[in-house]
Amino acid sequence: MESVPVRCPACSRDHAYVAPAYPCPCGAPTAPPLVPGAPAVRVTRRTWDEDWVTVRCAACDRRDQWPQPELCCPCGALLRIPVRPVGESEPPPGPVRPAHIPLPRTAAHPRPSFRPRTIRTGHDAVSAAALYLTWLGYREVARPQVRRAGGIDLRATGLVAQVDASTRPVGVRGVECLWLNALGASAAGVFFSLAGYEADARARADGVGLPLFVMDLTGAPQPVNSPADELVSTGA
């Protein structure tokens, strides 16, 4: 699958994006057809109806609904990648610009590829985050028996995590609450969000060393700050 160039409208950073492929019921891998050169759209509020696109399987011609491709820029902006409507002819490919290069992986034992779980509900978002934390190496990842407002969604050995599945970017208060909860539990903290983070929330997280991840509806978290990059590189 070839990448398409994506420029962030917020900070003008260039990326090379590859759409994730999904297994069609016929067994063939199917990916949303991207539009090379089309400008990305910044997501400020999410609506479930806009988060799904129709994709046609080239092998069996079946049409299914799959998550809208998205990319989280390191500046914190969540970008929606334009998809070519079903039935529209494919334009010639455009030039590919260089992508942001993450920190090199330094874990002693390289992990296998992460297998995400599609997100359709808030419950799915928490489950996807739990899978990702387990993949990072955390043990005994589980939900607390009682989840209070603004509290912890997941706990593991030496870790507390929060998952925000709302349609608004996380503010600085949410970051500070998780950080304080982690301090009180003598544990590390990790934040997952579907709608990204406000600029002051990112700055606060950077200052206290709190890893921030954003998830699209494929269920694949992406690091959005340096503490998150480091966590992905080293593992738990």
Side-chain angles (χ1 to χ4, degrees):
M1 181 64 62
E2 295 185 357
S3 62
V4 297
V6 176
R7 171 163 291 184
C8 176
C11 70
S12 298
R13 188 190 302 258
D14 289 328
H15 306 273
Y17 178 82
V18 179
Y22 308 95
C24 176
C26 76
T30 305
L34 306 180
V35 182
V41 178
R42 184 172 184 177
V43 179
T44 55
R45 292 194 61 179
R46 302 187 73 111
T47 61
W48 290 104
D49 290 341
E50 295 178 352
D51 287 336
W52 302 90
V53 293
T54 301
V55 179
R56 181 181 67 85
C57 175
C60 69
D61 205 42
R62 178 189 177 101
R63 301 186 182 191
D64 279 319
Q65 294 291 306
W66 295 108
Q68 165 76 44
E70 294 177 349
L71 168 71
C72 186
C73 180
C75 77
L78 182 62
L79 311 178
R80 181 172 289 132
I81 313 301
V83 172
R84 189 172 65 254
V86 172
E88 186 175 294
S89 60
E90 183 177 357
V96 177
R97 297 186 177 94
H100 167 67
I101 301 175
L103 294 176
R105 178 173 293 176
T106 57
H109 301 285
R111 296 182 294 272
S113 298
F114 176 64
R115 295 185 176 181
R117 174 178 296 175
T118 302
I119 297 174
R120 297 180 184 273
T121 66
H123 180 86
D124 291 340
V126 177
S127 297
L131 283 176
Y132 191 73
L133 291 172
T134 301
W135 176 76
L136 285 174
Y138 288 101
R139 295 175 296 169
E140 301 178 356
V141 180
R143 303 180 188 221
Q145 294 183 351
V146 178
R147 202 278 189 185
R148 297 180 175 84
I152 301 304
D153 293 289
L154 293 167
R155 291 183 181 273
T157 303
L159 175 83
V160 292
Q162 188 166 341
V163 182
D164 191 312
S166 69
T167 59
R168 293 179 178 273
V170 175
V172 66
R173 180 178 179 182
V175 166
E176 289 181 340
C177 284
L178 176 59
W179 175 58
L180 291 173
N181 279 324
L183 286 179
S186 298
V190 178
F191 213 124
F192 297 88
S193 170
L194 281 177
Y197 304 87
E198 295 179 356
D200 55 351
R202 283 202 60 205
R204 183 60 170 154
D206 290 343
V208 299
L210 182 72
L212 302 181
F213 291 87
V214 69
M215 296 190 295
D216 60 21
L217 296 184
T218 67
Q222 299 180 49
V224 298
N225 65 350
S226 295
D229 278 331
E230 183 177 354
L231 177 58
V232 174
S233 297
T234 61

